[in-house]
Amino acid sequence: MHGAPGWPGIPARWTSSAKTGVGTALDAGSRVWFTLSHGIFNEIYYPRVDQACTRDLGLIVTDGQAYFSEEKRQTQSTVTTAAPGVPAYHLTNVSEDGRYRIEKEIVADPSRDAVLQHTRFVPLQGDLADYRLYALLAPHLGNQGAGNTAWVGAHKGVPMLFAERGGLALALACSTPWLRGSAGYAGVSDGWQDLQQHRQLTWLYDRAENGNVALTGEIDLVACGGVFTLALAFGVNPAEAGHRALSSLKQDFATTARHYVEEWQHWQRTLHPVPDPGSGTSDLYALSAAVLRVHEDKNFAGAFIASLSIPWGFAKGDHDMGGYHLVWPRDLVEAAGGLLAAGSLPEAARVLQYFQATQEADGHWAQNMWIDSTPYWNGIQLDETALPILFLHLAQREGALAGSDWRALWPMVRRAASYIVRNGPVTQEDRWEEDAGYTAFTLGAEIAALLVAADLAELCGEPDLAPYLRETADAWNAAIERWTYVSGTELARQVSVAGYYMR
């Protein structure tokens, strides 16, 4: 065994939020979500939609002597979907110097915790034998770039690249067995450093322990004729991940991809049709609905995170994991409302059940939270307590709930309305978020929510509560001008207006 030098590697960071694709299988048997950017995989999430387990997975091209090209930095990438409204992707990456083209088909395995990349490497200058191709993977298991252990190994005699951390593991396998592999510490002894310096793998390290690690595997281009499939699979231990990677590779890629696409096409047929199919918006409508649907967790029904991304990832490390791969009640209502508008009614019921299970005892919802309802930030924003009330009303009007179901949600609404009345119209966190001011959006959400709650109180056997809620809403509505309109300021004089509404 040859352990890699340079522990623990450079400080771990994430990657770009400029995603060009997100995807997951609709089958609950697949608990992976993937993202794409700059022609390669970025964060891949497992076993929950809020748990990123990789930084990225891309390819490096050399000639073994003088040439070095990294596809995420030195190619022009185009992305298309396999079918309208289906988050299965075709990527074409053409090197900026015109020497090669890489074609990819990307899906998640509907039956397993694995993602698949079917790849064709096409020389545009020279022959296959003139090139060497390497896969470079940065594991960040369990939302953490540090503390990962990586090694070169095998499962049932099939060479694989492994990593594990904190009860999670991954395995990267290739349909054409790796020619060679290496595990190193990022920025010091990893494959990128080796290839950039030597144009081939010379640091064949077997293992890199407890650090910011990277795995590199060389693909046998001549043996596979330039066509191969990568399977990146996950599990609670290396054997489980290795089993899933091998099982995914044993199944014909075209069969797996067809299953993935058909599931999404079936779901798309449940949506409302585009009002004007000839307007050119049909594909955009279908893909927009799919992007929203991708963001729901498989085990925590109704838990939609705000985004499969880590904003400003290049500056974000292990101790700054906030951002958008969390549930924000505001974004959850907006995403669910979009799906409801598209005609996907089951999501509305699941979201309302999720709100029931995540409401705090005093009636509010956390500003943002992991999908198991653990708060991340500690602020309170009252629109995020008001919007679930409004969403219940919308879901009931749209027929997303059976006749008796929405009445069972009245206790949730009552607690939320009570919290708004006790703490509104603005909390300290609302003030901080908007620079010590009242916000029109929050005020509108609160007032409308209290009016909806008043109507529900009458329908649910508490008519005496309704007048108080309506009177409170009326009082706040009457104060909007006083709270949000200013006149006679320097800015008003500069732009020659009597006054204006403050955000």
Side-chain angles (χ1 to χ4, degrees), residues 24-93:
T24 191
L26 283 177
D27 197 303
S30 178
R31 297 171 299 161
V32 290
W33 296 258
F34 64 84
T35 67
L36 306 173
S37 176
H38 300 84
I40 68 169
F41 279 117
N42 286 167
E43 298 97 353
I44 300 170
Y45 295 76
Y46 165 86
R48 303 178 356 178
V49 73
D50 61 354
Q51 300 290 302
C53 284
T54 68
R55 182 184 189 274
D56 54 18
L57 167 61
L59 299 173
I60 294 177
V61 183
T62 79
D63 64 358
Q65 297 178 334
Y67 184 69
F68 175 93
S69 178
E70 186 174 12
E71 64 169 339
K72 73 176 181 181
R73 291 187 173 94
Q74 292 157 316
T75 67
Q76 294 295 319
S77 181
T78 58
V79 185
T80 59
T81 56
V86 176
Y89 299 94
H90 293 163
L91 276 66
T92 302
N93 300 333

Side-chain angles (χ1 to χ4, degrees), residues 130-185:
D130 299 327
Y131 294 90
R132 295 189 178 186
L133 187 64
Y134 303 87
L136 180 64
L137 170 66
H140 276 41
L141 288 159
N143 276 331
Q144 298 289 299
N148 289 259
T149 293
W151 68 96
V152 180
H155 179 76
K156 305 303 180 184
V158 177
M160 294 190 188
L161 306 175
F162 293 95
E164 65 178 348
R165 182 192 177 280
L168 297 174
L170 61 77
L172 178 63
C174 183
S175 57
T176 298
W178 303 114
L179 273 176
R180 56 187 62 82
S182 186
Y185 293 106

Side-chain angles (χ1 to χ4, degrees), residues 117-138:
Q117 176 181 296
H118 186 63
T119 313
R120 179 184 299 274
F121 179 84
V122 181
L124 300 178
Q125 298 178 22
D127 302 315
L128 275 178
D130 299 327
Y131 294 90
R132 295 189 178 186
L133 187 64
Y134 303 87
L136 180 64
L137 170 66

Side-chain angles (χ1 to χ4, degrees), residues 179-197:
L179 273 176
R180 56 187 62 82
S182 186
Y185 293 106
V188 185
S189 56
D190 63 278
W192 191 95
Q193 300 292 330
D194 191 11
L195 294 171
Q196 201 277 332
Q197 294 179 40

Side-chain angles (χ1 to χ4, degrees), residues 391-465:
F391 182 68
L392 168 60
H393 192 226
L394 175 64
Q396 190 271 332
R397 292 202 323 266
E398 294 296 317
L401 303 175
S404 60
D405 285 351
W406 64 269
R407 289 181 174 84
L409 294 166
W410 165 243
M412 177 186 80
V413 173
R414 194 185 198 284
R415 287 194 299 272
S418 175
Y419 187 87
I420 293 170
V421 169
R422 295 195 314 271
N423 293 276
V426 62
T427 67
Q428 185 59 41
E429 182 63 22
D430 288 306
R431 290 179 181 274
W432 175 84
E433 187 79 4
E434 299 294 343
D435 196 19
Y438 290 82
T439 76
F441 181 87
T442 296
L443 288 169
E446 291 171 311
I447 292 166
L450 292 181
L451 294 173
V452 166
D455 291 345
L456 293 177
E458 290 177 335
L459 293 171
C460 293
E462 295 194 56
D464 293 343
L465 183 60

